Amino acid sequence: MQDTELEYVDFWPRVGASLIDMLVIMLVTYPLLYLVYGSAYFTVQSEAPFRGFPDFAISMLLPFAGVVLFWLKKQATPGKMVVAARVVDAKTGKTLSVGQAIGRYLGYIVATLPLGLGLLWVAFDRRKQGWHDKMAGTVVVRPRREGEKSEPVRFETPV
């Protein structure tokens, strides 16, 4: 089924959304890291990837949980909301399953490993899917803008 009221979200709006999301994550995690570790966390170099479980929990688990919950509850992170985008199931256009949301987040790791090629893929793919989208069976859509000549959004089953 084709949804003529939606369009796939292209590369640059998604880059902008990601930058906003990174800022939001920093605004949440940096004060928490400061509360736990003090200013030395930001000034003293460390050989270890994490400075203990609190660092791992704040730097890795909190963003993971936050992003996945936003996808499940709002179909979008704050950055995607700014560009009116939603992350949906590629077959139905509905909210992601928990497995899809977790798979999509972990798919970012795979997408960034080969010099970010999996993320750049969005710019060239017909449905504007990065490797993380393809792995999780998701697409990023938004309401069609006037005058846009983008690929029509297609779902297998009605939304």
Side-chain angles (χ1 to χ4, degrees), residues 73-122:
K73 299 296 181 191
K74 300 284 189 182
Q75 294 184 322
T77 55
K80 290 225 182 355
M81 289 180 208
V82 168
V83 298
R86 295 181 298 125
V87 181
V88 297
D89 180 88
K91 291 182 181 178
T92 66
K94 295 185 179 176
T95 300
L96 309 184
S97 69
V98 172
Q100 279 179 303
I102 292 170
R104 186 173 195 272
Y105 193 92
L106 296 176
Y108 279 121
I109 297 167
V110 175
T112 57
L113 287 178
L115 303 175
L117 181 61
L119 300 175
L120 292 172
W121 205 261
V122 171

Side-chain angles (χ1 to χ4, degrees), residues 7 12 16 30 32 40-43 47-48 65 68-69 77 80 85 98 101 104 135:
E7 66 181 4
W12 288 113
Y30 282 18
L32 293 173
Y41 180 87
F42 302 98
T43 57
E47 299 276 329
V68 167
L69 285 173
T77 55
K80 290 225 182 355
V98 172
R104 186 173 195 272
M135 291 171 62

Side-chain angles (χ1 to χ4, degrees), residues 10-25:
D10 208 350
F11 179 77
W12 288 113
R14 289 175 68 166
V15 168
S18 293
L19 292 173
I20 292 167
D21 289 337
M22 286 184 348
L23 179 62
V24 169
I25 289 170

